[in-house]
Amino acid sequence: MLKLKLIPQSLLLALYGGAALASLIPAAAFAQSAAPAASTENVATVSVVGSRRVGNASSTDTPVPVDFIPMTKAAEQGGQFDLAQALTNISPSFNSTRQTGADGADLIDSAALRGLGSDQTLVLVNGKRRHTVALVNLFGARNRGNTGTDMNAIPLLAIKNVQVLRDGAAAQYGSDAIAGVINIELKKNLGCESVLGYGQYTEGDGENWLASAYCGVAVAGGVLGITGEWYDRGRSNRSEPGNPRIIGDTKSENQTLYLNGEFPTGPGKLYFTAGAQKRDASSAAWAREGVGSDDIPRRNSAAMYPTGFVPFIDGKVDDRWGTVGYRWQMGEWNTDLSQTYGYNRLMYNINNTLNASIANQDLLAGGPGRSASAFDAGGFSFRQATTNLDFSRFYNGVLNGMNVAFGLEHRRENYKIFAGEPGSYIDADGLNFGGAPGSQGFPGFQPGDATDSDRHSSAAYIDIETDVSDRFKVQTALRHERYSDFGSTTTGKLAGSYRVTPSVLLRASASTGFRAPSLQQVHFSSTFTDFVSGEAVDVVLAPNGGAVANAAGIPQLKDEQSKSFTAGITWSPTQSTSVTADLYRIDIDDRIVLTGRFDAENYPALGATLQQLGVDQAQFFVNSVDTKTQGLDLTVSNRADLGAGKLSTFLALNFSKTEVKNVKAPAAFAGFEDVLLSERERLFIEEGAPRRKATLGFDYSLNKFETSLRIIHFGPQTLGTFSGPPVPNQKYDAKTSADLSFTWAFTDKTKLTVGGTNIFDVKPTAQDPNETDNGFKYESVQFGLNGASVFARLSHKF
């Protein structure tokens, strides 16, 4: 990680892009010191992702684009109460869509960069790898078939800043960094602060309550930062009058505790971070209809729910992350030894439901036709342990300076699926002619789905950064990794920057990358019920290497391979203005996708196998797609006096286009490419995120008063339909929303902010509900579907 001296705001914005968002950066952070320039030992520093240089380096620029986003204002004054939504409204290259009607994906918000998948973005905390979640996204318009990192497991008030490296970095950090890297730096400063927040939609639902506190205390010559947060998000519902569905935000209650500290010990420093979150969340599944409908007796019981019912998929999420390490000098070398541990578990309880086959059996036996109304449906967990040993040294005598870093990494991973109780999955009548088996809304995991799978990997890297001259800098990296389950891979990176004039910097990079197939993708197994144009369909998602996948001719999963290129310019025409522009291209070969649905009709070879399983269709994970993503990041920022106050203005845009270049069907699927990747599934890959996104912000401060206006533009999207041609695709028009807030500082320590998000109540373009993935009149695209909201925050520093 590169340590940079604090520098004037205009220069930092020039280096790290307008997405650093001047209005979010505390002015004090950029105050120029009146002390002589030579006095540098006590100057505060900030860590920047993308470099392994340590110490007070003379470098004040980077050869690749990095957005530096201080989070103080987002935590104290923002209208979004969680990290994923806050970054969505700040960084144009970042996307996180809150899903609805997407089962487990409703409970955990996935996040991604540059329109790629959530598992193609690596997330670090304090420079250390953070684990992904156990969940595989199966439904919804975003990140289908992907795992990802739960950004909302970290409270906003615990975060000092977020750095977004918009460049492929697998050669530096390993798997998952194809689209880029997000590094979350946590606070460890002295002092205490607290935030109370409230918000709700103007429709009158979806109440949000937030209570968060941070305290940094002096311990053993160092600082221990402690953050505690309670966040309660209420359910919202946007379904039409008379529609029994519940469409909107899930209900969620989070309880989070994070510790972050660093202490001088012996010749070096001992550091550690520990965090845990308990989340109780509840998502509404498809409604089942009552008497007079086809759902009785197939999926309902007249004795239990005569007017119909909505099953609730309740999830208990247990997330833990921690790292402990020691940094010291070994001769001329900076040495860092660390151990990182991450764990994520999601367990399902299905409530307000029934097993229709049990109810039907009870009816056939002369009973009223009842079953239990709640079931333990099982769940899954993912565990990751990473050991790192890193060395770094700066050589003053080589050209204008050269930093050499190398290191080793060992990682162990475990993935488990836990079977649910029998009532959550059994077919009680044995003939399946009356009631459907399993808990309605979400059938439980069966004993045959259960798995306890391990793998390990080892890596070695070398990273060299050279100041060839005062103007020219070069960065090179090489990394080799070996995985126990699919083999080895070697990746490399070359990047450079050249300062043409004091105000103009040219930069470019080229790199290769990879993403290992997640254990979740390799071993996930489930039988579930989907609704296609309103009709229930039982689907098996067969694990890689299992009997169904082998019978279908699905090969073993392997790693995705990528090539990334960037070229950009930064321009600082004045001390208060900066402009950056970066072109990029990312080619991914053998991308892992979730196939379309195969059945006895479109793939006769599977007919007998599916019949034995008692399901209608089968899906698989397979390396079968090559994609090309290219685009432009553009940022402009300015800070100026306006009257007696200060006006900060920023504009940040991302243009991104992903195309499927090639569909490579396994030999057994030759001729079935249109099923392997239908137009609907292709569009989820190509346009799951808007192809353009822009943020225009204004922040004006005058004495104790401050107001912020942020305008967020989301480009158009096209998504597919179930029916396909000649039924037209879903066309979502470009939409623009706006957030507005007003802050009054009662004292230097106490502030009150009131405001609104999406203040013009903008909604996505309406569609045919029979053709959307969630059965509603629009998908969870762009900025969501809930409309306008209001909020208030009270912050106080002690």
Side-chain angles (χ1 to χ4, degrees):
M1 305 290 289
L2 173 63
K3 297 284 188 176
L4 294 181
K5 304 171 190 177
L6 289 183
I7 52 180
Q9 175 186 0
S10 60
L11 183 54
L12 186 62
L13 292 175
L15 300 177
Y16 303 117
L21 308 185
S23 70
L24 293 181
I25 302 176
F30 301 101
Q32 298 186 54
S33 174
S39 179
T40 62
E41 283 75 7
N42 296 319
V43 177
T45 61
V46 292
S47 298
V48 178
V49 69
S51 173
R52 296 185 186 274
R53 184 179 298 187
V54 297
N56 283 324
S58 61
S59 172
T60 56
D61 52 22
T62 59
V64 291
V66 181
D67 297 334
F68 182 85
I69 307 173
M71 297 304 294
T72 300
K73 179 166 286 187
E76 294 179 355
Q77 301 169 237
Q80 290 79 31
F81 289 6
D82 59 57
L83 179 58
Q85 291 298 303
L87 290 177
T88 294
N89 284 268
I90 293 174
S91 175
S93 59
F94 180 92
N95 286 285
S96 179
T97 303
R98 188 173 289 170
Q99 301 284 352
T100 184
D103 287 2
D106 291 357
L107 310 179
I108 298 175
D109 295 347
S110 59
L113 292 174
R114 289 178 161 175
L116 293 176
S118 57
D119 51 10
Q120 290 159 336
T121 296
L122 175 62
V123 177
L124 309 175
V125 176
N126 291 342
K128 306 297 182 181
R129 175 181 288 266
R130 182 170 172 84
H131 59 285
T132 59
V133 298
L135 173 75
V136 179
N137 295 304
L138 301 180
F139 303 103
R142 286 292 292 127
N143 295 309
R144 300 165 71 84
N146 291 181
T147 54
T149 301
D150 187 358
M151 309 290 285
N152 296 339
I154 305 174
L156 279 175
L157 199 60
I159 301 172
K160 179 181 179 182
N161 61 67
V162 175
Q163 301 142 27
V164 181
L165 171 61
R166 294 180 277 113
D167 189 46
Q172 296 168 288
Y173 297 104
S175 178
D176 306 346
I178 286 177
V181 180
I182 298 173
N183 182 47
I184 301 168
E185 186 176 0
L186 303 182
K187 295 177 183 174
K188 53 176 183 288
N189 55 281
L190 292 171
C192 299
E193 55 187 313
S194 62
V195 173
L196 297 175
Y198 173 79
Q200 72 167 39
Y201 295 111
T202 55
E203 296 271 356
D205 59 7
E207 286 190 327
N208 282 237
W209 295 90
L210 174 72
S212 190
Y214 166 84
C215 202
V217 295
V219 177
V223 178
L224 174 64
I226 306 170
T227 306
E229 181 179 275
W230 173 78
Y231 174 38
D232 184 86
R233 185 179 77 196
R235 198 187 307 277
S236 64
N237 187 13
R238 294 296 169 269
S239 62
E240 304 88 343
N243 187 338
R245 292 287 308 279
I246 297 176
I247 294 291
D249 287 351
T250 59
K251 177 177 173 55
S252 177
E253 181 181 349
N254 300 350
Q255 300 175 36
T256 315
L257 178 66
Y258 260 77
L259 308 177
N260 186 45
E262 185 175 84
F263 315 98
T265 306
K269 288 186 177 181
L270 174 71
Y271 61 90
F272 79 93
T273 303
Q277 182 183 87
K278 297 286 187 180
R279 179 183 305 169
D280 292 324
S282 177
S283 171
W286 281 72
R288 271 57 169 176
E289 297 181 355
V291 175
S293 73
D294 292 338
D295 282 348
I296 294 180
R298 179 66 174 167
R299 302 185 184 279
N300 191 5
S301 166
M304 294 185 67
Y305 305 106
T307 60
F309 66 101
V310 174
F312 289 104
I313 303 171
D314 296 341
K316 289 186 177 295
V317 181
D318 179 7
D319 191 274
R320 309 170 207 164
W321 186 86
T323 186
V324 59
Y326 190 67
R327 297 188 185 99
W328 75 101
Q329 289 288 125
M330 184 181 292
E332 297 294 321
W333 291 88
N334 302 295
T335 309
D336 185 350
L337 175 64
S338 65
Q339 177 65 50
T340 302
Y341 173 83
Y343 178 77
N344 180 269
R345 183 179 67 181
L346 171 56
M347 301 298 292
Y348 291 106
N349 286 281
I350 316 305
N351 291 287
N352 198 48
T353 185
L354 83 163
N355 183 321
S357 72
I358 296 177
N360 186 61
Q361 183 190 49
D362 181 54
L363 185 65
L364 294 174
R370 306 184 70 87
S371 84
S373 60
F375 297 96
D376 172 4
F380 29 67
S381 69
F382 178 67
R383 184 176 71 247
Q384 186 178 81
T386 307
T387 305
N388 291 96
L389 178 60
D390 303 299
F391 301 90
S392 177
R393 179 178 176 180
F394 188 78
Y395 292 87
N396 283 305
V398 179
L399 298 176
N400 270 38
M402 181 177 71
N403 193 82
V404 177
F406 66 93
L408 303 170
E409 178 178 286
H410 181 74
R411 190 162 68 249
R412 300 195 69 89
E413 297 175 335
N414 173 266
Y415 176 62
K416 293 181 180 179
I417 296 178
F418 308 99
E421 64 176 288
S424 71
Y425 60 80
I426 63 170
D427 183 358
D429 61 27
L431 299 177
N432 200 23
F433 63 84
S439 46
Q440 288 296 300
F442 189 100
F445 290 100
Q446 303 179 21
D449 297 323
T451 187
D452 186 352
S453 303
D454 296 280
R455 78 170 173 201
H456 61 269
S457 65
S458 299
Y461 74 86
I462 184 168
D463 188 319
I464 300 175
E465 299 177 47
T466 306
D467 299 337
V468 180
S469 68
D470 290 339
R471 294 186 175 187
F472 183 38
K473 305 179 189 300
V474 176
Q475 182 183 66
T476 58
L478 189 68
R479 187 182 185 98
H480 179 78
E481 297 211 19
R482 178 175 294 277
Y483 281 75
S484 60
D485 56 347
F486 73 85
S488 62
T489 184
T490 301
T491 54
K493 182 172 184 176
L494 174 65
S497 64
Y498 183 76
R499 187 161 291 283
V500 181
T501 70
S503 63
V504 177
L505 175 78
L506 300 179
R507 60 190 181 192
S509 71
S511 63
T512 60
F514 79 103
R515 188 187 74 82
S518 68
L519 281 180
Q520 296 91 313
Q521 290 175 322
V522 176
H523 296 285
F524 184 80
S525 173
S526 178
T527 301
F528 54 88
T529 303
D530 192 12
F531 281 77
V532 178
S533 300
E535 296 296 324
V537 177
D538 293 324
V539 185
V540 60
L541 202 160
N544 196 250
V548 179
N550 289 339
I554 298 294
Q556 181 181 359
L557 290 178
K558 58 183 179 179
D559 60 317
E560 302 173 347
Q561 298 282 341
S562 69
K563 296 182 179 67
S564 299
F565 307 92
T566 66
I569 183 172
T570 73
W571 177 43
S572 304
T574 69
Q575 284 290 308
S576 58
T577 304
S578 70
V579 180
T580 75
D582 292 278
L583 293 165
Y584 61 90
R585 174 169 171 166
I586 306 168
D587 293 316
I588 306 176
D589 293 337
D590 300 319
R591 187 165 170 176
I592 299 172
V593 299
L594 182 62
T595 70
R597 308 281 178 79
F598 288 91
D599 55 35
E601 183 176 343
N602 63 33
Y603 193 59
L606 272 181
T609 303
L610 296 178
Q611 186 176 18
Q612 291 175 1
L613 292 171
V615 297
D616 303 303
Q617 298 178 334
Q619 282 184 284
F620 313 93
F621 286 104
V622 62
N623 297 88
S624 62
V625 171
D626 297 341
T627 63
K628 176 180 69 176
T629 300
Q630 53 189 354
L632 168 69
D633 291 318
L634 177 67
T635 69
V636 182
S637 63
N638 176 264
R639 188 174 178 88
D641 294 330
L642 182 62
K646 298 282 188 182
L647 175 66
S648 296
T649 306
F650 65 87
L651 171 66
L653 302 94
N654 170 257
F655 299 89
S656 182
K657 182 180 181 181
T658 295
E659 297 177 280
V660 173
K661 298 189 299 181
N662 188 25
V663 179
K664 299 182 292 189
F669 286 85
F672 296 93
E673 287 83 359
D674 58 336
V675 182
L676 186 72
L677 188 75
S678 65
E679 182 181 29
R680 179 171 173 271
E681 296 297 331
R682 176 182 60 80
L683 286 170
F684 280 133
I685 294 173
E686 294 184 339
E687 301 203 37
R691 287 188 166 179
R692 69 173 183 264
K693 184 181 171 188
T695 303
L696 175 63
F698 305 93
D699 185 276
Y700 183 72
S701 58
L702 175 64
N703 299 323
K704 295 185 176 183
F705 174 75
E706 183 178 356
T707 183
S708 295
L709 172 65
R710 185 182 301 135
I711 301 169
I712 308 104
H713 173 79
F714 298 84
Q717 287 176 259
T718 299
L719 296 180
T721 60
F722 284 107
S723 301
V727 175
N729 288 322
Q730 303 177 59
K731 299 286 187 179
Y732 290 91
D733 298 332
K735 298 286 184 175
T736 302
S737 69
D739 300 345
L740 178 65
S741 66
F742 303 93
T743 299
W744 179 260
F746 295 100
T747 68
D748 291 340
K749 296 183 177 181
T750 306
K751 295 179 181 179
L752 174 66
T753 300
V754 296
T757 64
N758 191 10
I759 57 176
F760 299 117
D761 198 31
V762 180
K763 304 283 182 64
T765 307
Q767 310 292 328
D768 180 355
N770 290 318
E771 301 297 343
T772 62
D773 197 59
N774 60 13
F776 188 54
K777 62 183 177 182
Y778 30 69
E779 308 274 17
S780 302
V781 296
Q782 297 164 322
F783 45 82
L785 48 77
N786 284 288
S789 68
V790 295
F791 73 93
R793 278 185 189 253
L794 178 65
S795 64
H796 180 71
K797 295 182 178 180
F798 300 90

